[in-house]
Amino acid sequence: MEKSKVYFTDFRARPGYNLLQKLERLIKRAGIENIDFKNKYVAIKIHFGEPGNLAYLRPNYSKVVADVVKELGGKPFLTDCNTLYVGGRKNALDHIDAAYTNGFTPFSTGCHVIIADGLKGTDEAYVEINQEYVKTAKIGRAIMDADIVISLNHFKGHEGTGFGGAIKNIGMGCGSRAGKMEMHNSGKPIVFKEECKKCKQCIKICAHGAISYNEEGKAEIDHTKCVGCGRCIGICNFDAITAPNDEAADILNMKMAEYAYAVVKDKPQFHISLICDVSPNCDCHAENDAPIVPNIGMLASFDMVALDKACADLVNKQTVFDNSALGENMKKFDKTYIDRLKGDRFHINHPETNWESQITHSEKIGLGNSDYELIEIK
């Protein structure tokens, strides 16, 4: 198989030529102009950053991408799906507030923000893929309605998947709340009885008769009837219904890859990753710890698997910052253990994770190719 091309430029910006201009040159040299954008709806999938987190990508970068799409005749919008966990992006109203607070407005980015799975995370399209773990993926409807998908990723560490890059941005990020539940756990939703307000909204939305109420009027879920669709999670305004995060790390990564496959299998796609402010954890945290390695650069490719592998390889070549969580782990673990992990920054950062499983499974299902050629753009 021919190597996939991944284009790279560093973060050096000399007088007269800034980083935004470098990003535009990068994506054009990587071939974004080869996509037919004329009158096409273009979903630019990005993470808007959980309120309190400051490691997310600056909105300025998204404007560069949106402007190029418009220059090529496309109709871009920035998008993400609602979160499964309780936080500042669990419904469309809070999510848009978070996006605007963090600077992602139509005025600063040149395009609108659309939360792809709707007000409560239940506006989803069902995509049959018949893969090993996922038979029918549940994807935010606006993303599936788009003609073209572009991912703009902040490459960073992740406590569940090892790192978060293009595969995670598309796979996990484009899943509806029910889709995220399917990826994160092997079971069914559970009810926190103390949080239940007896509003009875969940029983109205359950199509399988799985919800009833106990003598106190609190909701209960019969797991023999529940199919795990997650719609009760979306409808509950009090966060009384949730899903246990009990899926093994490898299976989480493989489900995530299959969801990414569902999103892009019939669409033109293009992927951009920025390796900067490489926090040890996801931008879904309401805080960001110190970067674990120096800023490296910007990368672009038509192949999300090659892109993620290139990003991981570049991070693993970097010096570790002593004043970071990874630096602390490097000192805490003995040399024999670190050698056994081959110095892998992501395994040392989160030893229970295995980022390679998302790469190998993605290759297996035809999502992309981990064998790449890195082409540097000045």
Side-chain angles (χ1 to χ4, degrees):
M1 183 185 293
E2 185 179 352
K3 291 182 178 180
S4 293
K5 290 180 171 60
V6 178
Y7 292 79
F8 168 81
T9 191
D10 62 26
F11 278 117
R12 297 297 305 277
R14 294 165 180 84
Y17 192 57
N18 64 41
L19 290 179
L20 302 179
Q21 292 168 318
K22 289 189 79 172
L23 176 59
E24 180 179 354
R25 174 187 284 184
L26 173 74
I27 63 177
K28 288 183 175 179
R29 285 288 301 276
I32 195 171
E33 293 170 305
N34 294 329
I35 299 173
D36 177 14
F37 285 101
K38 191 67 175 176
N39 295 320
K40 304 287 177 58
Y41 293 104
V42 183
I44 302 174
K45 172 62 182 70
I46 194 168
H47 194 305
F48 297 115
E50 185 71 15
N53 188 298
L54 297 176
Y56 58 88
L57 294 182
R58 295 187 182 200
N60 311 62
Y61 293 117
S62 60
K63 187 176 191 304
V64 171
V65 180
D67 285 350
V68 169
V69 169
K70 288 191 290 185
E71 175 189 322
L72 297 172
K75 300 177 182 294
F77 62 95
L78 298 180
T79 192
D80 198 1
C81 287
N82 292 304
T83 59
L84 183 61
Y85 63 85
V86 178
R89 297 176 301 119
K90 66 180 181 179
N91 62 70
L93 298 182
D94 291 346
H95 207 152
I96 291 174
D97 280 347
Y100 285 5
T101 297
N102 288 342
F104 295 92
T105 72
F107 308 104
S108 62
T109 65
C111 65
H112 288 286
V113 171
I114 297 176
I115 305 306
D117 60 344
L119 182 62
K120 295 186 176 182
T122 57
D123 188 13
E124 56 202 4
Y126 298 96
V127 183
E128 290 189 19
I129 54 174
N130 293 315
Q131 292 293 332
E132 183 176 352
Y133 294 97
V134 179
K135 303 307 177 186
T136 303
K138 306 169 187 71
I139 309 296
R141 187 173 299 279
I143 289 167
M144 294 312 300
D145 283 346
D147 303 301
I148 298 164
V149 174
I150 296 175
S151 62
L152 179 55
N153 320 294
H154 172 222
F155 193 84
K156 66 278 181 187
H158 193 277
E159 57 278 17
T161 59
F163 65 66
I167 297 171
K168 184 175 186 298
N169 187 38
I170 291 293
M172 184 63 69
C174 291
S176 66
R177 295 190 87 187
K180 288 179 172 66
M181 185 179 73
E182 180 176 23
M183 286 180 271
H184 271 296
N185 77 93
S186 56
K188 307 289 177 65
I190 56 176
V191 178
F192 291 131
K193 299 286 176 53
E194 61 274 16
E195 302 297 331
C196 178
K197 304 299 188 232
K198 310 177 188 179
C199 70
K200 295 185 167 49
Q201 292 302 306
C202 55
I203 198 170
K204 294 177 183 178
I205 203 166
C206 181
H208 304 280
I211 298 178
S212 59
Y213 299 96
N214 63 18
E215 61 278 1
E216 297 177 358
K218 304 276 189 172
E220 293 182 336
I221 298 174
D222 183 348
H223 285 176
T224 64
K225 297 179 180 178
C226 174
V227 300
C229 72
R231 298 184 76 81
C232 56
I233 297 176
I235 202 68
C236 181
N237 291 331
F238 307 103
D239 302 313
I241 305 177
T242 189
N245 291 332
D246 60 357
E247 194 60 279
D250 280 359
I251 297 177
L252 169 62
N253 273 327
M254 289 187 278
K255 286 181 175 180
M256 191 171 70
E258 292 177 6
Y259 260 74
Y261 174 85
V263 173
V264 302
K265 70 183 183 76
D266 295 321
K267 294 181 186 293
Q269 57 181 291
F270 189 79
H271 307 282
I272 308 157
S273 286
L274 276 65
I275 313 177
C276 59
D277 299 318
V278 186
S279 49
N281 298 316
C282 182
D283 291 343
C284 290
H285 280 245
E287 82 292 324
N288 57 282
D289 203 350
I292 59 176
V293 296
N295 290 350
I296 298 172
M298 302 181 276
L299 299 90
S301 179
F302 285 98
D303 186 330
M304 73 173 82
V305 180
L307 181 63
D308 274 0
K309 183 62 164 58
C311 288
D313 289 345
L314 287 169
V315 169
N316 276 326
K317 292 176 182 176
Q318 296 301 306
T319 301
V320 175
F321 284 143
D322 284 341
N323 66 331
S324 70
L326 178 57
E328 291 176 356
N329 280 346
M330 293 286 281
K331 296 171 187 174
K332 179 173 67 177
F333 298 138
D334 62 54
K335 186 177 182 304
T336 303
Y337 180 74
I338 291 175
D339 288 345
R340 193 166 81 243
L341 296 177
K342 299 178 181 178
D344 186 281
R345 306 312 189 224
F346 307 104
H347 285 307
I348 297 167
N349 192 35
H350 293 294
E352 68 282 1
T353 63
N354 178 25
W355 62 267
E356 289 97 335
S357 60
Q358 64 179 282
I359 301 294
T360 55
H361 194 66
S362 293
E363 281 192 296
K364 177 182 174 182
I365 65 177
L367 189 58
N369 177 20
S370 67
D371 196 12
Y372 65 89
E373 176 189 1
L374 193 66
I375 301 167
E376 186 167 2
I377 308 298
K378 295 297 186 181

